[in-house]
Amino acid sequence: MAHSPEHVEEFVCEDCQVIHAGTPVQSSSGGHAFEPPESCGVCGGSEMVPTENWVHQQE
């Protein structure tokens, strides 16, 4: 059986718009979930939005 790679969830900093990779955490189903970083490594901002929601956040 071929392994299907997981896609890392990405988050956008609301303050400076830098994209960060989510931190993998083990989920109860045995797979991985991804959490946003606690703060932006560039500006120190703490508000992160998943990239798929970024366009909707700006409307």
Side-chain angles (χ1 to χ4, degrees), residues 1-2 6 12 15-16 24 27 30 33-34 40 42-43 49 54 58:
M1 185 166 152
E6 293 184 62
V12 180
D15 293 329
C16 70
S27 69
F34 294 92
C40 177
V42 176
C43 74
V49 177
W54 179 246
Q58 299 306 307

Side-chain angles (χ1 to χ4, degrees), residues 13-26:
C13 172
E14 282 192 0
D15 293 329
C16 70
Q17 300 180 7
V18 167
I19 297 175
H20 297 274
T23 303
V25 293
Q26 196 77 9

Side-chain angles (χ1 to χ4, degrees), residues 9-14 19-20 34 36 47-57:
E9 189 172 349
E10 296 175 330
F11 298 88
V12 180
C13 172
E14 282 192 0
I19 297 175
H20 297 274
F34 294 92
E47 296 298 320
M48 301 286 171
V49 177
T51 54
E52 64 269 9
N53 294 342
W54 179 246
V55 173
H56 305 293
Q57 188 80 8

